[in-house]
Amino acid sequence: MKDIDAIAALQDPVRRRLYEYVVAQGREVGRNEAAEAVGVARTLAAHHLDRLAEVGLLESGSRRLTGRAGPGAGRPAKVYTRAPAERAVSLPARDYRTAAELLAEAAEQAGLDAGLCAAARRRGEALRGAAAPCGGLEEAMEMLAARGYEPHVEAADDADGAKAASGTGARVVRMRNCPFHAVAERFPPLVCGMNLALLEGLLGTDGPVRARMDARPGACCVVIEDSKNNQR
């Protein structure tokens, strides 16, 4: 019942806000920063952050937040990041993950990638309904957040991997969470292709934004960008 304990720990509103803040940063967060962001005392923040680490929702470590090393650099501070483990509770017990993995394995072995992507695109279009294609990155972020992708905006990378010049205004929406992560880890080409097709159907392919594949460690394999800024 460890998952129940972990989820129950989020019932406290301050603890939940601290967890949501750490998750949203996508990096290590210190106690002072978290306390200031949520508007509570550092000692209270430390108590709740340690509780979240105790139940396995966060991972804790230590590093010098000053960026300096050697004498005078100060003592390492405790920092927190989201734990990679998934938490879920189902009463009565269900095992949809095993079913999804078996279906993915069968689809991969039978070469059903195209059929799966077509079905995913239709599902995305059905979720969008009669609405017009997504009107911009801000609207796309709202739609993605509602489906658990945890989107955030980054400056677009140029062809050499450097950040685009600040004057171009080029931006992409990257996502810190993949709702299909567990199955995508085992069947990446199949599930990532399905995910891309689903988002193409959800956002539309003839509007001002487009989805494309850009896999990176620790993030969703798909990014969303302004169509006019895409030259690839």
Side-chain angles (χ1 to χ4, degrees):
M1 303 297 280
K2 289 183 178 180
D3 282 3
I4 292 179
D5 294 336
I7 294 171
L10 296 174
Q11 184 174 1
D12 184 284
V14 174
R15 192 176 297 156
R16 185 167 61 252
R17 293 204 308 273
L18 285 164
Y19 174 77
E20 290 172 347
Y21 178 78
V22 172
V23 167
Q25 305 317 301
R27 55 173 172 77
E28 294 177 330
V29 174
R31 288 172 167 176
N32 288 340
E33 177 187 347
E36 183 177 350
V38 175
V40 299
R42 182 184 183 280
T43 53
L44 180 60
H47 165 74
H48 284 308
L49 290 167
D50 284 341
R51 175 58 181 161
L52 290 167
E54 180 183 332
V55 299
L57 291 175
L58 297 181
E59 289 185 345
S60 63
S62 62
R63 66 177 178 86
R64 289 187 174 89
L65 299 179
T66 61
R68 302 194 307 269
R75 294 186 351 184
K78 201 163 188 179
V79 293
Y80 302 85
T81 56
R82 174 164 55 184
E86 297 180 9
R87 303 290 180 179
V89 175
S90 176
L91 297 173
R94 297 289 185 262
D95 189 6
Y96 299 114
R97 175 174 171 175
T98 296
E101 290 178 347
L102 288 171
L103 290 168
E105 182 177 355
E108 187 175 75
Q109 291 178 352
L112 300 179
D113 304 55
L116 177 61
C117 287
R121 191 171 289 105
R122 290 194 299 270
R123 175 59 63 91
E125 292 169 348
L127 291 171
R128 177 159 52 93
C134 180
L137 291 184
E138 286 70 23
E139 183 181 343
M141 289 184 68
E142 292 180 6
M143 298 171 70
L144 294 166
R147 303 200 64 80
Y149 282 92
E150 298 180 9
H152 65 285
V153 175
E154 290 185 2
D157 293 345
D158 64 21
D160 295 325
K163 290 296 182 184
S166 58
T168 66
R171 301 178 303 160
V172 297
V173 173
R174 297 193 182 275
M175 296 166 276
R176 293 193 175 98
N177 183 52
C178 171
F180 316 111
H181 175 72
V183 187
E185 276 197 318
R186 289 197 58 190
F187 308 95
L190 181 77
V191 178
C192 291
M194 177 200 75
N195 187 29
L196 174 62
L198 176 70
L199 293 180
E200 286 176 338
L202 180 66
L203 302 175
T205 57
D206 53 354
V209 302
R210 61 163 283 163
R212 65 174 174 85
M213 200 75 74
D214 186 13
R216 291 190 176 186
C220 177
C221 59
V222 178
V223 299
I224 313 300
E225 63 186 1
D226 291 311
S227 297
K228 62 183 178 181
N229 291 326
N230 179 60
Q231 303 296 326
R232 305 180 190 198

